[in-house]
Amino acid sequence: MGPAELVQDCLDEMRESDGFAVAGDVAETHRVALLGTVGVAAVLIGYAVGVHDSDRDDALDLFEALIRAALQDEEGGGRIGARFLDEAARAMRVPAFTDRLDPPTIHDLARAYARAGAEAPPELVQHLIGQMGELRKSGRLPFDPDSEIERMREVLDLDEHYLHRKLDERIGVLPEELRAAFAYEVACRDEAVCGRIAMYWLLDDSEEVRLGAAEGFRERAVRGIVEPVSAALVPLIRNWMPADAGRTLLDEALAEARRRELVAPLPRPERRRAEIYGSIPDKWGTQMLRAVLQGGDEPALATVVTELGRGIAEAVVIPGMEAIGEFLDSDVFDTMIEIPWETFEEQVAVALAEGLALKQTPAAGLVDVALACGMRELRPRAMTAGDWLSELDPNDEIAVLPAPVREELTGGSAAWPEDYRVVKGWSAGTAVLQEAREAADGADRAMAGFFARLESRREDWALRMLRSAHVLKGAGNVDWRTFAGTAKSVLEGRALETIPIMEHVWQRTNRDLAVEELRAG
């Protein structure tokens, strides 16, 4: 199947679906085909320069989802993500495309990169700079916050999430030096919803946006228009921010709010936590945590997604029985394990710390999850692999087990791929295997080179196993001991090729590479 037919099939699938996050679901279902087929990026960009219709909108959503998937593939050691991003950048240089890049198209493509958390290709940035005048005239590039917000007046009192997303689309294509000013102008407006937008922007990836939001919050405090919920959230949120100029400014703003007695305790949640679920990390180290919330006007589903090397990548609260029903009926539910609330909260706290260590802010929706779930004391908790072992096995009982019993625990990892569907997909990334193959002169040497390249990742693999053990122990599943025991073997330097689960990783990575090569022809 050619790239045009593949993309059209995916757009048809999106059109026929009425679920949540359709583009993300389609991108995940067809990840290898879409990222690995040469020409897909160019086809999607072609839709962007086409007629404005539903297919164009869906294509842009799919393009954004695939940029996010490509970044994830790169971070996980894959090859096809980098190729997809490179193809997209090259397409921006082709005259047939560039001659048709009008201001709205430039804005929409730049927005796709911004929303996916990626840097736009230099070629697109140059087009954007060259078109700023026209974009400003068309209202697509917001130098006037008042005009932008007035354009969305009908949602100011209805949906702060929609407003945040729309304003993010505007701010994402601004030059860095303008972001702080725009964020400030929005954050200190009189409308209460703008106070909530300021809270979201305190967790923005851009330091300039965080600075503008913090300054806007201080202005709200000076003017005495801080909303009680926002004031209650700020002491919590400042712990989720990098220790940079943005947090320093927010501390000053918080001191001003306290002087004016505007800070209050967090309100009690409207709903109660009913059922809590967690997953084992997948091949990219991505983990899903979900809480079904009951009570209030209607039930809701709170979701936190953590990623290795990113921290908290997604956090959202979706109200309504429909969201809960879709989750319970989905394939994802089959990979989830019911856990106690303490396990959920600790996993979030650790992911927070992992992100901040890399200067990554958590997803802005964590504000909503914390409010909905009553996470009043959520603080980053830094945990090394050794810390996890101490948490799981405080008396170090695994270390003093007889050698045959320790061996049995490590050998138990052979059963994980069959017992846990997520583990079946564990892979080391096809780029690692390709590199090992190119440096070797035979299959045996390729295998040795592969495991040699994993030596520097022992702690990452141990952490994956230990976070799995934490979920399983919280659920009362005795398999946590095999995960913890195997992680201990990894940390103690046991040859990776002699550990059953790592042998599975070798085999799975070979299979992934074969699929990629088949797809590439």
Side-chain angles (χ1 to χ4, degrees), residues 363-425:
L366 188 61
V367 170
D368 304 305
V369 173
L371 276 174
C373 295
M375 303 170 83
R376 297 163 177 260
E377 301 295 330
L378 180 60
R379 302 287 189 275
R381 183 179 178 187
M383 294 273 279
T384 64
D387 293 333
W388 273 119
L389 275 172
S390 297
E391 170 101 359
L392 292 160
D393 185 22
N395 298 320
D396 209 14
E397 294 175 3
I398 292 175
V400 299
L401 289 171
V405 180
R406 287 279 306 273
E407 180 63 32
E408 186 177 343
L409 287 179
T410 303
S413 67
W416 298 350
E418 292 303 318
D419 293 342
Y420 302 98
R421 195 173 78 190
V422 172
V423 177
K424 193 169 188 175

Side-chain angles (χ1 to χ4, degrees), residues 128-138 141:
L128 181 64
I129 292 172
Q131 296 285 356
M132 277 187 180
E134 292 184 50
L135 286 165
R136 190 188 302 114
K137 291 176 187 176
S138 70
L141 187 66

Side-chain angles (χ1 to χ4, degrees), residues 22-191:
V22 174
D25 291 343
V26 171
E28 180 59 34
T29 301
H30 306 288
R31 174 192 289 260
V32 173
L34 288 166
L35 293 181
T37 300
V38 176
V40 165
V43 169
L44 288 170
I45 293 170
Y47 274 95
V49 299
V51 177
H52 286 252
D53 57 16
S54 60
D55 268 358
R56 179 184 186 274
D57 293 341
D58 286 345
L60 283 165
D61 287 343
L62 184 57
F63 185 53
E64 175 192 329
L66 287 174
I67 294 171
R68 191 175 292 112
L71 291 173
Q72 188 179 57
D73 183 76
E74 272 194 305
E75 291 167 358
R79 303 183 311 150
I80 55 178
R83 287 208 302 259
F84 179 87
L85 294 172
D86 183 60
E87 180 194 331
R90 289 199 311 273
M92 307 291 179
R93 299 194 292 266
V94 175
F97 285 130
T98 55
D99 290 347
R100 300 168 64 194
L101 284 177
D102 59 356
T105 300
I106 292 168
H107 174 274
D108 289 341
L109 288 171
R111 181 184 64 183
Y113 279 95
R115 289 176 59 180
E119 292 293 330
E123 295 80 10
L124 185 60
V125 173
Q126 289 303 313
H127 284 298
L128 181 64
I129 292 172
Q131 296 285 356
M132 277 187 180
E134 292 184 50
L135 286 165
R136 190 188 302 114
K137 291 176 187 176
S138 70
R140 303 288 295 208
L141 187 66
F143 287 97
D144 179 7
D146 289 339
S147 298
E148 287 300 311
I149 292 182
E150 288 303 321
R151 191 174 289 114
M152 292 176 276
R153 170 61 59 182
E154 69 275 9
V155 300
L156 281 179
D157 297 321
L158 298 177
D159 192 340
E160 64 265 22
H161 304 284
Y162 177 81
L163 181 61
H164 175 238
R165 181 166 64 86
K166 288 298 181 183
L167 290 172
D168 253 7
E169 292 172 3
R170 308 302 198 267
I171 208 168
V173 299
L174 283 172
E176 289 185 1
E177 62 271 16
L178 295 174
R179 292 176 184 174
F182 181 77
Y184 168 77
E185 291 294 338
V186 172
C188 67
R189 286 177 60 94
D190 290 343
E191 293 91 352

Side-chain angles (χ1 to χ4, degrees), residues 171-237:
I171 208 168
V173 299
L174 283 172
E176 289 185 1
E177 62 271 16
L178 295 174
R179 292 176 184 174
F182 181 77
Y184 168 77
E185 291 294 338
V186 172
C188 67
R189 286 177 60 94
D190 290 343
E191 293 91 352
V193 69
C194 291
R196 177 57 66 88
I197 299 300
M199 298 302 99
Y200 293 151
W201 275 345
L202 289 172
L203 299 177
D204 197 86
D205 288 337
S206 166
E207 183 177 356
E208 290 76 17
V209 173
R210 296 197 301 272
L211 279 166
E215 182 63 32
F217 174 75
R218 181 164 63 180
E219 178 66 18
R220 297 182 80 83
V222 168
R223 292 167 56 194
I225 59 170
V226 173
E227 305 74 25
V229 172
S230 294
L233 280 166
V234 168
L236 189 61
I237 291 175

